[in-house]
Amino acid sequence: MPPLDVLIPVAGLALLDTLSPTTLGVSLFVLLSGARNVARPLFAYLGTVALFYFVLGCAIMLGLGAALSRLSHLTDSPATGWVMVVLGGALFAYSWVMPTKKRVPRRPATLRTTTMIGLGLATGLLEAGTAFPYLGAIGIMGTAGLAAGTWVPMLAGYNLMMVLPPVLLYVGHRLFGERLRPRLDRWREKIDSGSREAMSWIIGIVGVILVLNGLQLTGVDALIGTR
């Protein structure tokens, strides 16, 4: 069982990642495509995205763990905390100035399984560098010095939570069919028009979480609490 000071922020970041505009947008497009079988292409896409990020997270954690083992004296040091504070502050500041113009969302040309797997890989490759909630969660787990038996299930749970909203949308689509279609259409329009705004909010919240965790390492939060 991971400590609560690690579990709570990581769970919060996982909840933020459920708002991924790309994953939700592609999932809604598939559900509204009118195809007879939407389960196969949808789960091929979601499974590829989740597996890609899980493998990426494991690779980063293993590399981060090796680096931190050589720099173990810095893991819980105030210096590490100040790095997190600066990085979090920079992300928070960027969230206020990042461009928020509407982008044309990526949509599959067909719903073939190979196409959806390729789209899932493209989603991961193109957005891995800006997956701030995921990278923030990995950073928190890495600096906490968790054993592999703890962080591997956490990464798996994180990625399952990340694709849970599209799965729930699929369940709703199966249960309610055409009665749910007008609402799904409205959600897709909102995601298409507001994806950049949503991303700016996500980046800002990730920045705040990193600042708070960094302040905890520096000991500043304890000094504030004693006043």
Side-chain angles (χ1 to χ4, degrees), residues 2 12 23 27 29 35 41 43-44 63 92 113-115 118 128 130 132 138-139 153-154 168 176 182 189 205 213 223:
T23 305
S27 299
F29 177 81
F43 286 102
F92 182 76
T113 300
T114 52
T115 300
T130 57
F132 295 111
I138 291 172
M154 287 185 70
L168 294 178
F176 302 105
E189 290 175 3
I205 294 172
N213 278 272
L223 292 175

Side-chain angles (χ1 to χ4, degrees), residues 1-13:
M1 180 70 180
L4 289 180
D5 61 345
V6 174
L7 183 60
I8 291 176
V10 169
L13 291 168

Side-chain angles (χ1 to χ4, degrees), residues 13-30 42 45-46 49 53 98-108 119 123-124 126-128 130-134 158 161-163 165-166 169 184 186-203 206:
L13 291 168
L15 286 174
L16 279 178
D17 241 348
T18 62
L19 302 175
S20 169
T22 300
T23 305
L24 288 172
V26 171
S27 299
L28 286 170
F29 177 81
V30 173
L42 178 63
Y45 172 73
L46 295 178
V49 171
Y53 278 110
M98 69 175 288
T100 56
K101 291 183 179 180
K102 180 179 177 180
R103 293 188 307 177
V104 177
R106 277 186 218 95
R107 290 175 179 171
L119 183 62
T123 298
L126 293 175
E127 300 194 352
T130 57
F132 295 111
Y134 194 47
Y158 188 109
M161 185 179 295
M162 183 175 64
V163 298
L169 288 175
L184 294 180
R186 289 195 297 271
W187 288 346
R188 185 175 66 177
E189 290 175 3
K190 288 181 179 179
I191 289 172
D192 288 350
S193 63
S195 61
R196 297 290 288 175
E197 288 82 355
M199 182 57 65
S200 69
W201 277 94
I202 291 173
I203 292 173
V206 171

Side-chain angles (χ1 to χ4, degrees), residues 42-185:
L42 178 63
F43 286 102
Y45 172 73
L46 295 178
T48 302
V49 171
L51 182 60
F52 176 90
Y53 278 110
F54 177 73
V55 172
L56 176 65
C58 288
I60 294 175
M61 281 295 295
L62 291 172
L64 187 61
L68 289 175
S69 65
R70 299 177 183 177
L71 302 171
S72 58
H73 62 288
L74 295 178
T75 302
D76 296 319
S77 70
T80 302
W82 285 118
V83 170
M84 294 176 68
V85 169
V86 172
L87 178 60
L91 289 177
F92 182 76
Y94 177 68
S95 70
W96 287 90
V97 299
M98 69 175 288
T100 56
K101 291 183 179 180
K102 180 179 177 180
R103 293 188 307 177
V104 177
R106 277 186 218 95
R107 290 175 179 171
T110 69
L111 297 183
R112 293 179 180 175
T113 300
T114 52
T115 300
M116 299 308 296
I117 291 174
L119 183 62
L121 289 173
T123 298
L125 290 170
L126 293 175
E127 300 194 352
T130 57
F132 295 111
Y134 194 47
L135 296 175
I138 291 172
I140 292 171
M141 287 187 286
T143 55
L146 301 178
T150 301
W151 63 257
V152 169
M154 287 185 70
L155 277 181
Y158 188 109
N159 285 282
L160 289 175
M161 185 179 295
M162 183 175 64
V163 298
L164 181 60
V167 173
L168 294 178
L169 288 175
Y170 169 76
V171 172
H173 181 267
R174 290 283 297 176
L175 291 176
F176 302 105
E178 289 299 315
R179 286 177 293 173
L180 191 62
R181 188 178 186 89
R183 181 166 295 182
L184 294 180
D185 273 321

